[in-house]
Amino acid sequence: MITNTELEYKGNLYPSGLISYEHDQDTINFISKNGVRLQVTVLRDNMLRFRYATNGIFENDFSYAIDEDNLHGFSHLDVSEDETHIIITTEKIICKVAKDDLRVGTYELNGKPILEDEQGFHWEETFEFGGNFVKMSKMSRDQENYFGLGDKPTNFNLKGKRLSLWNTDQYAFAKDTAELYKAVPFYMGLHGNSAYGIFFDNTFKTHFDFCHERRNVTSFWADGGEMNYYFIYGPQMSDVLTSYTDLTGKPELPPMWALGFHQCKWSYYPESKVKEIASKFRELNFPCDAIYLDIDYMDGFRCFTWNKEYFPDPKRMVKELESDGFKTVAIIDPGIKIDLNYSVFKEALENDYFCRRADGPYMRGKVWPGECYFPDFTRPEVREWWSSLYREIIGEIGVKGIWNDMNEPAVMEVPGKTFPLDVRHDFDGHPCSHRKAHNVYGMQMARATYEGVKKFNFPKRPFIITRANYSGGQRYTSTWTGDNVATWEHLWLANVQIQRLCMSGMSFAGSDIGGFAEQPSGELFTRWLQLGIFHPFCRVHSSGDHGEQEPWFFGEDVLEITRKYVELRYQLLPYLYTAFQKYVEEGMPILKPLVYYDQEDVQTHYRADEFIFGNQILVCPVQEPNVQGRRMYIPRGKWYNFWNDKLVTGGKEMWVDAPLDTIPIYIKEGAIIPKYPVQQYVDEVKMEEMSLDIYYKIGKENSEFYEDSHDGYEYRQGIYSHRTFKFTGKEDEMIIQQHKQGKFSAPYTTFKLKFHGMPFEIKRVFFENEEVNVEDLHYDKENQTMIVHKDFSELHIVGNSNGNTAE
């Protein structure tokens, strides 16, 4: 009998009516008449996991994304039923599963809908590969908006967009490129001041439609695997995001030098060129903490080797650079050159560590070294071997950071620019094809790199940066947005992409400042660097094919302006380091888009130019040429202009002056901002005094300041300092209270307080509840500064009101 597969093709298939359900502790299992199984697991009062099996049998429950240390637990769980639904109730939400077709709805406790299935779960058989396309469609309500999905180079609000996640090497990518370097299948929905999140943990190629095909429907689907997603309820976006980052994991605290300014180019070589660049930075008093070595430092682009003609004694060079305050960061790619005289290749070949095609041959592809084989990083023993290869470059030569590139994986001169789909992977004991492993390949390479650098750099902290990643990869590595272009549009994209990555759990991110491809003008370079100093990762990187891109290349005016901003970056390092501590401990994003900062204000839902750096600094980059200012939206509240201390009232759009040497920066009233003196590199100067900039307000505001040794792991034994400042202001007085936790003692003994916007002249000062002579605190009336001991608990200042009004 000849089977006509066209006649057999059924199109979309759906669950039929419920025949039974069973409640077992935190899990409720549903079985439909046509054998579909739905499993709902209550992980927290605000988090549910949904899994569907079309044949009643679930795949092995394994995920690279989920952090094994994430905490589960809920306060209340009740399962009941009525005529039409099974009803799951927790402390925060209600979930209803329809008896006739297993469609799902989630609701607030008052019955208000949060997210409801449209068609709900459905699937389509894939005869070419086996398995199914698994699909989910949800109802979208009027004025519902969507945010997230990692590094997508498109409008910040995803409403109306259709996007795919398939890690792809996209040199000189364009706006609205559908597929880029990372796969982060997590988004947040916001409607009526209620936020929720969806994390679709499926490593196959995934797709998302945010009301693009149908205006009232949003959907997500995958080319294989299981319909397995997590629903996270807010109602605040901050609740959703911190729950997601707790689920997928948070990084360890980076060394502070990794937050300094970094300089990179494809490529700095030979050694004399590297030394020349480093010397120029010091000669010009332009702060810099790291110099990068691209692929030309290697012997024929063979990973873990050195070109001895260009770098005859790398250990000496690295040591000399470090003595001048520069950390060396080196690139490592996944492609291993086919060369039996190359020890790394030979060892991997002997141990069968390389990926194979379906019929047995090794996966062969062309990258920078020529013909290469590629390690299977989804095998634990391969990751362990890879980590051991860092013994020499990290442990002996002294390189301090590793940069993983081309790990989408990128392969030249083949369709799709990556591995063929039949390549086989171990997937940590769950064998699969490249269709399933592709999106985690770069993440697992970065994981192996992290483990090696951490091992051989101990007791110092590791620094890893990767181009490709998957959800959860933030546990191991920082990232950047890849091969952008020196255009004004890409400056705009860099701003949006980093905000989006921060909203997707990957806060340690930056762009290639100035653009990787092509050559920026001095004006574009200046504007980009003004933005880049507020990104968690701050690096100039360019292609050598298009000319020089060091700050001094563009002339004296650009040099002066860019130096001023990099110096500001170094002054704000304690503030940024504190923001990193909040990210590491609580999952709080380092950059906060305005919609995250104030989701109740509908004016923020479509804005992406402005963002909050940390908790209390508002930044708005200039993203057009030949302008002397711009319109920007000031969020609700009152804000001080950083440059002139002028107080403005937010909740409105306004014109701000911004000549070339100025980027609009505003400080939230009541904020207390810790600042370092300008240094040429982190820890160059022994701190003798710490500055605190205090921005007056009528009312209360809390600020934080975190310190430790800037590297190493003593902070995990309580050797840190976490200061909380409580500011209380009235018309003619202010009180600053300090509470300190931790056993770390900084080398300085005093704070230099600088007051901004203080509306009265100081008449009396009470220090620790005792009145003191203001001269004893070295009060400088002209500059509005005074000096106090760093461990004060309360400072009370009383004066005569002069008035301080905002626009």
Side-chain angles (χ1 to χ4, degrees):
M1 176 181 178
I2 298 175
T3 301
N4 187 332
T5 56
E6 287 293 322
L7 294 177
E8 283 193 341
Y9 180 73
K10 300 181 181 66
N12 285 330
L13 301 169
Y14 298 83
S16 56
L18 178 69
I19 59 173
S20 67
Y21 77 95
E22 181 181 19
H23 176 204
D24 181 14
Q25 296 182 340
D26 62 353
T27 302
I28 304 94
N29 282 291
F30 302 83
I31 302 293
S32 74
K33 293 177 182 178
N34 60 344
V36 175
R37 183 177 174 187
L38 163 62
Q39 184 180 86
V40 181
T41 304
V42 180
L43 300 176
R44 299 183 184 179
D45 290 310
N46 72 329
M47 185 187 299
L48 306 177
R49 181 187 183 190
F50 296 88
R51 298 180 71 192
Y52 295 82
T54 58
N55 60 2
I57 301 173
F58 288 112
E59 299 178 2
N60 290 330
D61 192 10
F62 172 78
S63 171
Y64 283 119
I66 305 303
D67 183 7
E68 295 178 356
D69 296 327
N70 80 91
L71 299 176
H72 295 165
F74 48 84
S75 303
H76 172 76
L77 174 59
D78 178 72
V79 180
S80 60
E81 63 178 296
D82 59 21
E83 291 185 3
T84 58
H85 291 84
I86 308 302
I87 303 167
I88 303 166
T89 304
T90 76
E91 183 102 335
K92 294 188 176 180
I93 55 175
I94 298 169
C95 173
K96 295 182 179 181
V97 179
K99 291 181 178 180
D100 60 352
D101 56 10
L102 299 190
R103 284 194 294 177
V104 170
T106 51
Y107 307 86
E108 296 178 0
L109 295 179
N110 61 9
K112 178 182 176 182
I114 305 169
L115 184 63
E116 296 176 306
D117 281 359
E118 187 247 356
Q119 294 183 48
F121 172 64
H122 48 293
W123 73 97
E124 182 181 332
E125 297 176 15
T126 57
F127 297 107
E128 180 181 1
F129 295 104
N132 303 304
F133 291 107
V134 291
K135 308 176 182 181
M136 176 62 65
S137 63
K138 302 284 188 180
M139 295 173 61
S140 178
R141 295 159 292 176
D142 289 344
Q143 300 178 23
E144 188 162 356
N145 295 296
Y146 304 95
F147 309 91
L149 287 194
D151 62 347
K152 293 303 181 190
T154 190
N155 292 16
F156 185 67
N157 190 324
L158 296 172
K159 186 73 168 282
K161 300 294 181 180
R162 184 172 180 143
L163 301 153
S164 299
L165 300 180
W166 181 254
N167 293 354
T168 306
D169 176 12
Q170 296 281 18
Y171 174 77
F173 61 88
K175 182 179 182 291
D176 294 320
T177 297
E179 295 160 7
L180 217 51
Y181 304 97
K182 297 165 193 67
V184 187
F186 165 74
Y187 72 87
M188 283 188 275
L190 176 63
H191 177 265
N193 198 33
S194 181
Y196 66 88
I198 294 290
F199 172 43
F200 182 24
D201 191 8
N202 182 309
T203 63
F204 284 80
K205 185 173 185 177
T206 50
H207 312 265
F208 294 80
D209 185 303
F210 299 101
C211 308
H212 174 81
E213 182 176 338
R214 289 182 289 165
R215 62 179 297 182
N216 63 340
V217 177
T218 184
S219 54
F220 50 94
W221 65 100
D223 289 0
E226 188 178 88
M227 176 51 63
N228 169 33
Y229 74 93
Y230 296 77
F231 169 85
I232 306 169
Y233 175 60
Q236 296 298 308
M237 298 182 87
S238 57
D239 301 323
V240 177
L241 186 51
T242 54
S243 294
Y244 166 76
T245 49
D246 191 57
L247 178 70
T248 58
K250 300 180 283 286
E252 62 185 55
L253 203 58
M256 186 179 275
W257 68 262
L259 310 186
F261 176 78
H262 297 189
Q263 183 73 30
C264 180
K265 179 184 174 182
W266 179 30
S267 286
Y268 287 134
Y269 72 95
E271 177 185 330
S272 59
K273 184 64 175 180
V274 178
K275 291 287 193 67
E276 175 191 332
I277 296 296
S279 296
K280 193 72 172 178
F281 274 105
R282 296 296 178 247
E283 174 191 335
L284 296 173
N285 291 318
F286 196 108
C288 184
D289 260 278
I291 298 287
Y292 284 61
L293 302 179
D294 211 318
I295 54 175
D296 293 285
Y297 81 88
M298 304 175 192
D299 176 14
F301 307 134
R302 296 169 178 84
C303 293
F304 303 102
T305 68
W306 292 81
N307 183 316
K308 290 306 177 74
E309 178 184 349
Y310 295 157
F311 299 95
D313 189 349
K315 183 175 183 178
R316 172 190 49 76
M317 181 193 72
V318 168
K319 184 177 180 181
E320 290 172 357
L321 286 170
E322 187 163 15
S323 69
D324 205 15
F326 291 96
K327 305 294 191 295
T328 303
V329 180
I331 197 169
I332 294 288
D333 291 348
I336 301 300
K337 183 175 178 62
I338 299 172
D339 178 359
L340 287 172
N341 295 315
Y342 170 31
S343 62
V344 174
F345 173 80
K346 187 176 179 182
E347 187 175 348
L349 191 67
E350 290 172 350
N351 288 281
D352 195 25
Y353 287 159
F354 292 123
C355 295
R356 289 183 179 272
R357 302 293 297 270
D359 294 327
Y362 286 115
M363 161 59 205
R364 179 192 293 259
K366 184 179 180 182
V367 205
W368 303 119
E371 294 292 325
C372 292
Y373 290 163
F374 300 82
D376 182 5
F377 294 109
T378 72
R379 288 173 60 184
E381 63 270 32
V382 174
R383 292 196 299 270
E384 177 62 30
W385 165 74
W386 188 260
S387 72
S388 73
L389 298 176
Y390 289 99
R391 177 185 300 276
E392 180 183 6
I393 191 171
I394 300 294
E396 298 174 13
I397 292 174
V399 167
K400 295 300 181 186
I402 294 296
W403 164 27
N404 285 165
D405 195 15
M406 302 292 287
N407 55 344
E408 289 69 34
V411 182
M412 301 170 180
E413 300 177 5
V414 296
K417 300 187 289 187
T418 192
F419 291 2
L421 298 182
D422 73 315
V423 169
R424 292 313 192 236
H425 298 270
D426 179 70
F427 216 82
D428 277 68
H430 307 85
C432 67
S433 76
H434 195 67
R435 296 176 68 236
K436 184 175 182 178
H438 173 85
N439 279 341
V440 298
Y441 186 88
M443 172 199 193
Q444 293 307 299
M445 179 188 181
R447 175 185 180 181
T449 298
Y450 162 80
E451 290 167 353
V453 175
K454 185 172 183 176
K455 182 191 310 179
F456 297 115
N457 195 45
F458 190 82
K460 301 300 183 182
R461 303 174 202 163
F463 171 67
I464 315 299
I465 182 166
T466 186
R467 192 169 71 177
N469 215 347
Y470 181 73
S471 289
Q474 67 270 8
R475 302 195 297 268
Y476 315 115
T477 180
S478 62
T479 192
W480 88 105
T481 57
D483 294 345
N484 56 10
V485 187
T487 65
W488 290 94
E489 181 176 69
H490 269 266
L491 170 58
W492 176 84
L493 283 173
N495 186 18
V496 172
Q497 285 181 284
I498 303 307
Q499 290 186 58
R500 195 192 308 285
L501 282 165
C502 287
M503 285 278 274
S504 305
M506 294 183 176
S507 272
F508 198 178
S511 70
D512 285 347
I513 293 172
F516 179 75
E518 301 184 14
Q519 180 75 17
S521 65
E523 181 188 15
L524 176 57
F525 181 80
T526 300
R527 291 303 195 187
W528 206 319
L529 190 135
Q530 288 172 344
L531 168 65
I533 66 128
F534 292 104
H535 283 165
F537 176 64
C538 181
R539 181 184 72 166
V540 169
H541 179 40
S542 63
S543 166
D545 293 339
H546 302 98
E548 307 302 312
Q549 208 154 298
E550 292 76 39
W552 51 85
F553 174 76
F554 301 95
E556 190 65 29
D557 290 346
V558 169
L559 175 64
E560 291 296 325
I561 297 171
T562 55
R563 177 166 47 209
K564 177 178 80 170
Y565 281 92
V566 172
E567 288 177 348
L568 177 59
R569 166 86 173 195
Y570 277 75
Q571 288 179 293
L572 291 174
L573 278 179
Y575 176 85
L576 176 58
Y577 199 59
T578 301
F580 261 91
Q581 192 270 340
K582 297 290 286 184
Y583 170 51
V584 167
E585 291 297 320
E586 301 177 21
M588 185 180 293
I590 293 172
L591 300 191
K592 298 168 181 61
L594 293 195
V595 67
Y596 177 97
Y597 181 77
D598 187 358
Q599 69 186 51
E600 295 181 12
D601 182 359
V602 296
Q603 296 296 321
T604 68
H605 295 186
Y606 276 88
R607 299 203 71 97
D609 286 0
E610 309 88 351
F611 60 88
I612 307 295
F613 173 63
N615 282 335
Q616 297 164 315
I617 299 180
L618 170 67
V619 180
C620 185
V622 175
Q623 299 168 134
E624 294 179 332
N626 306 315
V627 298
Q628 294 295 309
R630 61 160 298 156
R631 297 195 67 80
M632 69 173 285
Y633 187 76
I634 309 292
R636 295 187 296 184
K638 293 182 178 180
W639 301 81
Y640 284 89
N641 186 315
F642 176 78
W643 303 109
N644 59 22
D645 279 352
K646 192 173 184 179
L647 189 63
V648 301
T649 299
K652 63 186 179 185
E653 189 177 74
M654 59 183 290
W655 174 266
V656 293
D657 292 328
L660 185 58
D661 65 348
T662 303
I663 177 176
I665 305 170
Y666 287 80
I667 312 296
K668 187 179 182 184
E669 64 168 354
I672 297 179
I673 308 292
K675 291 172 73 174
Y676 281 159
V678 173
Q679 304 175 83
Q680 295 308 299
Y681 54 90
V682 167
D683 292 333
E684 177 200 20
V685 176
K686 182 180 179 180
M687 297 294 166
E688 297 181 352
E689 190 171 73
M690 170 65 68
S691 296
L692 297 179
D693 279 20
I694 299 167
Y695 290 83
Y696 177 85
K697 76 175 288 186
I698 295 178
K700 296 182 178 181
E701 178 75 14
N702 292 335
S703 303
E704 297 179 58
F705 172 30
Y706 174 85
E707 290 180 287
D708 59 24
S709 62
H710 300 166
D711 208 342
Y713 294 94
E714 298 91 344
Y715 72 96
R716 292 183 172 174
Q717 282 74 52
I719 305 177
Y720 63 85
S721 169
H722 191 176
R723 301 173 188 268
T724 301
F725 300 107
K726 181 179 180 180
F727 179 94
T728 303
K730 301 179 181 179
E731 287 187 359
D732 57 358
E733 64 179 310
M734 63 174 149
I735 301 170
I736 302 169
Q737 296 169 305
Q738 178 184 196
H739 175 70
K740 179 180 178 293
Q741 291 180 304
K743 297 179 287 187
F744 178 75
S745 181
Y748 57 86
T749 58
T750 56
F751 285 136
K752 184 175 185 178
L753 310 182
K754 180 171 178 58
F755 301 106
H756 299 261
M758 189 163 59
F760 52 77
E761 293 185 3
I762 296 176
K763 297 301 181 184
R764 305 174 69 188
V765 177
F766 296 86
F767 189 77
E768 315 296 29
N769 294 317
E770 293 187 7
E771 187 168 3
V772 296
N773 192 322
V774 68
E775 282 75 24
D776 293 341
L777 300 179
H778 305 280
Y779 178 57
D780 182 338
K781 183 177 179 180
E782 181 180 353
N783 294 306
Q784 291 289 285
T785 61
M786 68 172 55
I787 296 173
V788 300
H789 192 275
K790 67 178 180 181
D791 291 326
F792 77 91
S793 58
E794 183 172 297
L795 178 67
H796 187 179
I797 298 175
V798 180
N800 293 330
S801 176
N802 293 326
N804 185 33
T805 59
E807 286 186 337

